Amino acid sequence: MQVVAAAVLGMFIVFATRYRLKRSAASPTKEVPLPAVFHTPRSEKVPLPAERITELVATAKSLCASGKGFLASDESAGPWLRAGHVQAKKIPDTAENRAAYRSMCFTTPGLSQYISGVILHWETLFQKDAKGNDMVDLIRDNGMIPGIKLDKGYDKTGLPGTATGPLGHPETWCKGIDDLAKRAAEAYAQGARFAKWRNVLQIDPKQELPSALAIHECVNNLACYAAICQREGLVPIVEPEIVPNGSHSIQVCAEVTEKVLIAQYKALELHNVHLEGAVLKPNMVKNGLGGSKAPPDEVAKLTVTALMRSVPVANPGIFFLSGETTLDEDNEETATINLNAMNKAYRSLPWHLSFSYGKALQKTAIVTWMGKAANAAKAQKALLARAKANSEATKGAYVPGSCKSVGPEGNVQMQGGAY
């Protein structure tokens, strides 16, 4: 039986070969393709136009300028509601107050010495100040690059079948991919040149969180966003945030952070994202809010180790989020000290290691301002001082305590939770 089968196969091969030769002779410039079963499938990359790549890389380099970081001004409500301060939350949250506060920040004299880009909420991107000036013009005229938050947040019902984590809801992913190309194009037309998208992952070792499913959804959602943004001319900030809620150790956070970032860069490769035209916004490696507190030197060591094991050299910049802190901590000072510890201990890293802070840049400025125009100049000085402190931290040159802050007194749980 085997002999018969071999003979039949041999006759088929001979026939197929003669047929192909005959067709080739009759039509020498048109080869008959082999059946699909003989082909090995492969992913064909469709490269971005050269001029688009040039633009993205130039923007990324400007964002990663030495000594500079991001002002995260993309809160959906007034930043005073997320400042986590008993006095700040008393400021009325109106569109007029949001415009007044943000225009004050964006026009701070000298801010571009320390801030390369400003991340905006959709409202702010199209908003004007009291004098009728576009917010994006205030930013550009002050030497900074406007950016835009493009994710639409997450639904707390979460991924079906996933466990409830320390945030009190199942694992999630962010919405907004369906109309992202349209919104990205509109943002570009309005003057934005980079974008941000944040996904949240939770840690719970007992429930094996984050799950493989949540990590997969997180990193591919971010990679899809990044690819769409680059196509529309925006440098994407990729932000897979592992929130500190829980009582896990810093070692657990280190393991999870490394695992997530490795998966993230595999996803970016799969989606053909041009790494030189994108930047990363990760969490620092820290203990859970209910865990044993790790000192800045350990935060620095484990954070940089995780990055060295996962982030390609082609990535031009890493801009840390400050992350939530306990109520007895000065979150502004803590964020600056942790960044300083990294750059002081590791002076020859392949990427620009910097900051993308919201309340960790603005808290003292907000409490100084308190919704009163008469306090604007003092609030601007407070913002400039903390921006300068973080600029020094990007060079490992910050002296702890040298920048005055409102401190932990008056700290309350921030409104709005983890997002």
Side-chain angles (χ1 to χ4, degrees):
M1 191 67 180
Q2 291 179 343
V3 173
V4 174
V8 172
L9 179 60
M11 290 174 65
F12 172 78
I13 293 172
V14 170
F15 174 79
T17 303
R18 287 178 178 175
Y19 178 75
R20 283 173 58 82
L21 289 172
K22 185 177 180 179
R23 289 295 301 271
S24 296
S27 222
T29 60
K30 185 176 180 181
E31 182 177 331
V32 177
L34 286 170
V37 69
F38 289 103
H39 286 296
T40 301
R42 65 180 182 177
S43 174
E44 293 290 349
K45 291 187 177 182
V46 180
L48 292 166
E51 60 272 18
R52 179 65 85 201
I53 291 176
T54 299
E55 179 188 13
L56 291 168
V57 171
T59 300
K61 286 182 178 179
S62 296
L63 293 172
C64 296
S66 177
K68 296 186 181 184
F70 297 153
L71 169 61
S73 186
D74 58 327
E75 303 91 350
S76 56
W80 42 88
L81 296 179
R82 296 186 62 80
H85 191 275
V86 67
Q87 294 300 321
K89 70 177 186 177
K90 295 178 181 179
I91 301 172
D93 186 27
T94 64
E96 292 75 20
N97 270 346
R98 293 194 294 271
Y101 172 76
R102 285 170 173 153
S103 62
M104 177 199 72
C105 290
F106 303 158
T107 57
T108 297
L111 190 61
S112 64
Q113 297 176 76
Y114 316 118
I115 301 296
S116 59
V118 181
I119 309 170
L120 304 176
H121 187 267
W122 194 256
E123 174 191 74
T124 318
L125 181 67
F126 295 92
Q127 201 170 34
K128 297 179 183 294
D129 69 1
K131 298 178 181 179
N133 301 304
D134 287 342
M135 292 291 183
V136 291
D137 289 337
L138 297 181
I139 293 168
R140 289 185 297 205
D141 291 346
N142 203 15
M144 298 171 290
I145 302 172
I148 179 66
K149 181 180 88 77
L150 287 174
D151 69 78
K152 293 184 176 180
Y154 60 75
D155 187 337
K156 290 185 179 181
T157 56
L159 292 165
T162 60
T164 295
L167 287 176
H169 56 71
E171 297 181 292
T172 62
W173 81 104
C174 272
K175 301 176 290 184
I177 288 290
D178 52 347
D179 65 344
L180 177 59
K182 176 179 179 293
R183 292 185 294 116
E186 291 172 353
Y188 185 93
Q190 184 65 11
R193 289 298 177 267
F194 70 103
K196 173 198 147 179
W197 186 290
R198 171 181 179 259
N199 274 337
V200 169
L201 291 169
Q202 306 177 69
I203 292 180
D204 185 344
K206 292 182 179 178
Q207 299 192 84
E208 298 184 348
L209 300 186
S211 67
L213 172 61
I215 293 173
H216 175 83
E217 292 294 330
C218 167
V219 301
N220 280 284
N221 178 260
L222 280 165
C224 182
Y225 136 82
I228 293 172
C229 280
Q230 288 193 333
R231 190 173 66 201
E232 300 300 333
L234 301 176
V235 170
I237 298 176
V238 177
E239 185 178 356
E241 181 184 359
I242 303 162
V243 295
N245 303 71
S247 56
H248 52 273
S249 68
I250 189 172
Q251 288 77 17
V252 170
C253 183
E255 293 171 5
V256 172
T257 299
E258 182 181 336
K259 182 178 181 180
V260 169
L261 291 180
I262 288 172
Q264 183 64 77
Y265 279 94
K266 286 182 179 178
L268 291 171
E269 180 183 18
L270 181 65
H271 287 258
N272 302 327
V273 173
H274 191 79
L275 294 187
E276 291 84 352
V279 297
L280 177 68
K281 182 174 179 177
N283 54 280
M284 296 180 188
V285 173
K286 299 191 292 185
N287 54 274
L289 295 175
S292 178
K293 183 173 173 58
D297 289 349
E298 189 174 8
V299 171
K301 179 181 178 181
L302 293 182
T303 300
V304 173
T305 297
L307 295 174
M308 292 292 287
R309 291 175 175 176
S310 59
V311 181
V313 174
N315 176 82
I318 297 172
F319 297 81
F320 291 105
L321 56 96
S322 60
E324 191 63 14
T325 54
T326 56
L327 294 182
D328 62 347
E329 286 185 87
D330 180 345
N331 71 297
E332 288 180 304
E333 186 74 355
T334 296
T336 305
I337 289 173
N338 284 336
L339 179 62
N340 187 71
M342 294 180 214
N343 284 298
K344 186 175 182 179
Y346 301 92
R347 295 188 177 275
S348 300
L349 294 171
W351 339 271
H352 177 57
L353 208 61
S354 190
F355 58 94
S356 178
Y357 295 164
K359 69 176 182 179
L361 270 175
Q362 303 176 71
K363 188 172 183 177
T364 297
I366 290 169
V367 175
T368 301
W369 178 63
M370 287 303 297
K372 299 178 180 178
N375 296 335
K378 291 181 180 179
Q380 287 181 328
K381 288 181 180 179
L383 175 62
L384 187 68
R386 183 52 64 178
K388 180 176 183 289
N390 283 294
S391 175
E392 292 170 350
T394 67
K395 302 173 183 178
Y398 177 68
V399 177
S402 62
C403 181
K404 292 183 179 179
S405 72
V406 69
E409 292 79 17
N411 277 356
V412 293
Q413 195 72 32
M414 72 175 184
Q415 296 183 37
Y419 198 86

